[in-house]
Amino acid sequence: MTPRAGFFKAFFGSCCGRDIFYTLRHHSWVRCLTHLFLLSLITGCIIGNVQSRRFTSLIDASQTAFTALFGQSVWVTPPTGSWNWVCPVKDPHTPREMTLPGGGRLYYTGSSRAIPKSLKEISGAAVVWSPSELGISVPVANGEYNCVIIDRSAARIDRFSGSSSALERVFQRAPDKAALEKILSRDKLRKEEAALLFMALNFLFSISPVIGTVFWNFFLTLLYTGIFIGMYRLLNGPSGRLRFLTLKEMWKCGIYAAFPAMAVATFFPVLDLPLVSYETVFMIGLLLYWLSVIARLERTPDDNEVNNAN
């Protein structure tokens, strides 16, 4: 009978030494990938929950600043196509701006078309909020920004690359005082609590980091081990230079060798440690331990030499 190990035995065994790999190399692909997904789920939930708490604190601080500046409520217009639009109930004609995390800034145009000088100086994301349009620019690299402008009146979204200065057109097309008064005088205008928006953001940022991290951890393990196996086969032929292990067994050993590396790497984003990322710690730990496991199994291939199957 082919020896097998449960998830916890596989995890703790791989963290405590190399003897367990005599058993783990015989696991089916279904069992191997199931164990990898379970560990990805555990580490992803831990990292994602910590990150979501950080996002939540930022969102709570932003809500406090937003309601102090714009009030507790916003006016919501009837939809044009699939879009509604909003403006603050408190002083809807008055332009204002608010600092965002990461060096960003939120601008509300009101009925003014004046372009703030700070728009060209910000280092983070810029959001320009007009009663008729919304512009967003997010820095990516080398001074470039990904920009989006949502035009409610035309029910159109424009996406382009540029700089935060590209959002000047949102200011230039802001409704004047008469046009804004016309919007505010509509019968179907309704009032909504600003807190609902921040509740939705809190929900989004509490779920997204967890789901994203779970699948990223799972994918990263398969990616790194797959690249290593592919390069090994390319350089050494279909059977490689292995004396006893097959390439499939070698790959399965690599996936289980990732378990201790994944556990250690989890501490870096959780503790927000500087200089080294999860991916770097994981890759170095995986490769070093995997090579050690292969060397052990190639030197002493007889399963009976290590009694760990039970």
Side-chain angles (χ1 to χ4, degrees), residues 14-276:
S14 63
C15 291
C16 293
R18 295 173 291 177
D19 292 348
I20 190 70
F21 286 88
Y22 288 97
T23 297
L24 300 180
R25 68 188 177 118
H26 293 298
H27 280 186
S28 68
W29 278 112
V30 173
R31 175 176 286 266
C32 182
L33 294 179
T34 299
H35 287 175
L36 173 59
F37 180 77
L38 288 174
L39 185 58
S40 300
L41 182 64
I42 294 170
T43 57
C45 286
I46 294 171
I47 296 172
N49 274 304
V50 171
Q51 291 177 336
S52 67
R53 289 180 184 177
R54 293 177 185 146
F55 283 126
T56 299
S57 64
L58 290 175
I59 293 170
D60 290 342
S62 298
Q63 181 179 356
T64 301
F66 182 92
T67 53
L69 190 62
F70 296 100
Q72 301 284 346
S73 305
V74 294
W75 290 118
V76 179
T77 62
T80 298
S82 57
W83 297 104
N84 298 82
W85 214 245
V86 298
C87 64
V89 172
K90 177 183 177 182
D91 301 327
H93 292 282
T94 306
R96 281 154 281 180
E97 56 185 85
M98 184 183 92
T99 301
L100 296 176
R105 211 156 186 85
L106 165 66
Y107 299 92
Y108 172 66
T109 66
S111 54
S112 171
R113 294 179 179 175
I115 300 171
K117 294 181 180 180
S118 60
L119 182 64
K120 296 181 180 180
E121 300 171 356
I122 62 175
S123 58
V127 180
V128 182
W129 171 21
S130 159
S132 59
E133 288 183 303
L134 179 69
I136 303 172
S137 67
V138 180
V140 282
N142 301 321
E144 286 292 314
Y145 285 71
N146 286 336
C147 303
V148 176
I149 293 181
I150 303 172
D151 185 349
R152 176 189 172 274
S153 59
R156 185 180 70 243
I157 301 178
D158 294 329
R159 296 183 178 89
F160 55 93
S161 297
S163 67
S164 56
S165 298
L167 301 183
E168 290 180 1
R169 70 182 76 171
V170 181
F171 289 95
Q172 295 164 352
R173 297 195 295 236
D176 58 21
K177 187 173 182 179
L180 183 51
E181 283 293 342
K182 185 177 180 180
I183 293 174
L184 294 172
S185 64
R186 290 180 176 174
D187 294 335
K188 295 183 179 179
L189 207 64
R190 71 179 189 274
K191 187 186 293 187
E192 296 284 358
E193 293 298 317
L196 293 175
L197 169 64
F198 290 95
M199 286 176 59
L201 289 175
N202 267 320
F203 176 77
L204 176 65
F205 283 105
S206 65
I207 297 298
S208 298
V210 174
I211 296 175
T213 307
V214 168
F215 285 100
W216 176 244
N217 289 356
F218 183 83
F219 169 76
L220 200 65
T221 303
L222 295 181
L223 177 65
Y224 284 171
T225 56
I227 290 174
F228 189 88
I229 286 291
M231 291 300 297
Y232 186 88
R233 189 181 188 282
L234 181 65
L235 295 174
N236 297 286
S239 60
R241 295 182 179 180
L242 299 169
R243 292 188 302 160
F244 304 107
L245 290 172
T246 66
L247 282 177
K248 288 183 179 180
E249 290 176 345
M250 180 181 174
W251 195 350
K252 292 172 186 177
C253 287
I255 291 174
Y256 282 109
F259 283 20
M262 193 182 297
V264 172
T266 297
F267 286 98
F268 284 77
V270 166
L271 300 178
D272 200 19
L273 298 177
L275 302 178
V276 186

